Amino acid sequence: MAHTLPPLPYDPGALEPHIDAATMRIHHGKHHQTYVDKLNAALEGYSDLQAMPLEDLLRGIGAVPGVIRTAVRNHGGGHANHSIFWANMAPNGEGDPTGPLANALTQAFGSVEKFRTDFTNTAVGVFGSGWAWLVADGATLKIVARPNQDSPLMDGLAPLLGLDVWEHAYYLKYQNRRSEYVNAWWNVVNWGDVEDRFKDVADRYSASGGA
Ligand code: MN
C-alpha cells in the first residue's frame, strides 16, 4: 500500500499572519508531496516494507536494505516529520500547555517558560537544514536537534512537537530571519495535539511496565 499525503487539517491561510498561505501551500503541496512520492519510489519492489507503518519503518531503519536506506531515511523521515508538523499547529493555537504535559515540562526544564526558551534556542541554533523536537525518551522529556529529515523515531525517541527550520519553511516571509519565524510559530502551536501525543506515549510506557 502506497504512502499518501495527509490533508492539511486547516486552510493554508489559517496560520496567517504567523505563517503565510503561500509558504503553507508550497511546503505541504510540493515539499511534503515530494517526500511521499520519493518514499513510495524507494519502496517499489519491497512489498514487506511497503506493508509496514511508517513509524515502524523508521524505528527499524537499520534493518532497511542498504541500497534504499538513505532514501527511506530522508523521504520517510520527511513524510513522518511533516505529518506531525501540520498537526502540531492550529489557528489561534497560542496559549500554554496544561495538565500532565505542563507538569512534565516543568519537571524536565524548570518551567514551561524555560522550556520555550530552550526550545527556541535549539531551533535557532540548528546549523543548516533540520528540525528542533520535543521528544519523550522513555518517561523523560528532552529537546533535541536533528539534521536534514532525520526522524527522532530512528533513535528510539517519541516525537511530540517538531519545528521545521529548513529555509523552505520560512524564507518567503522571513527570508534570513529564522528567529522571527520561530518566535511567530509559538503563536500557532496546537498544545492539544502535543498533549494527545504525550498521553499516548505515557500510556504506552506504563503499559510496557516502564521498559
Ligand atoms: Mn519542511
Side-chain angles (χ1 to χ4, degrees):
M1 202 185 72
H3 293 276
T4 55
L5 181 70
L8 268 186
Y10 36 73
D11 185 84
L15 305 181
E16 297 259 12
H18 308 294
I19 301 182
D20 60 288
T23 295
M24 289 297 290
R25 273 196 202 93
I26 297 166
H27 197 176
H28 175 261
K30 303 294 184 190
H31 289 278
H32 189 170
Q33 181 70 62
T34 300
Y35 296 124
V36 171
D37 293 345
K38 291 190 170 177
L39 172 63
N40 286 328
L43 295 178
E44 232 164 83
Y46 296 88
S47 54
D48 50 334
L49 300 182
Q50 285 171 333
M52 286 174 69
L54 179 59
E55 291 203 345
D56 293 347
L57 193 60
L58 293 170
R59 285 193 191 100
I61 189 71
V64 171
V67 65
I68 61 166
R69 194 178 303 146
T70 299
V72 170
R73 175 186 189 132
N74 290 341
H75 304 297
H79 179 25
N81 291 343
H82 288 84
S83 297
I84 296 169
F85 185 55
W86 313 130
N88 274 168
M89 297 188 287
N92 307 311
E94 64 216 277
D96 282 314
T98 57
L101 176 63
N103 295 338
L105 288 170
T106 301
Q107 194 176 2
F109 304 103
S111 67
V112 170
E113 211 39 55
K114 181 66 164 50
F115 158 69
R116 269 185 220 268
T117 303
D118 291 355
F119 189 98
T120 294
N121 289 339
T122 297
V124 171
V126 171
F127 182 75
S129 298
W131 292 70
W133 289 98
L134 171 68
V135 299
D137 182 1
T140 308
L141 295 186
K142 293 178 178 171
I143 296 167
V144 297
R146 286 292 179 273
N148 305 312
Q149 293 297 350
D150 284 1
S151 162
L153 292 164
M154 299 188 307
D155 303 306
L157 303 169
L160 304 177
L161 174 66
L163 175 53
D164 187 346
V165 293
W166 282 56
E167 284 186 344
H168 70 222
Y170 63 87
Y171 206 84
L172 285 183
K173 182 176 171 75
Y174 296 98
Q175 290 84 51
N176 61 314
R177 303 184 306 277
R178 184 191 286 179
S179 62
E180 270 183 44
Y181 158 69
V182 173
N183 288 324
W185 170 81
W186 286 113
N187 293 298
V188 294
V189 171
N190 179 1
W191 285 112
D193 180 69
V194 186
E195 286 162 13
D196 289 346
R197 290 176 196 279
F198 179 62
K199 186 177 184 309
D200 286 349
V201 168
D203 289 349
R204 275 207 305 273
Y205 185 76
S206 48
S208 73

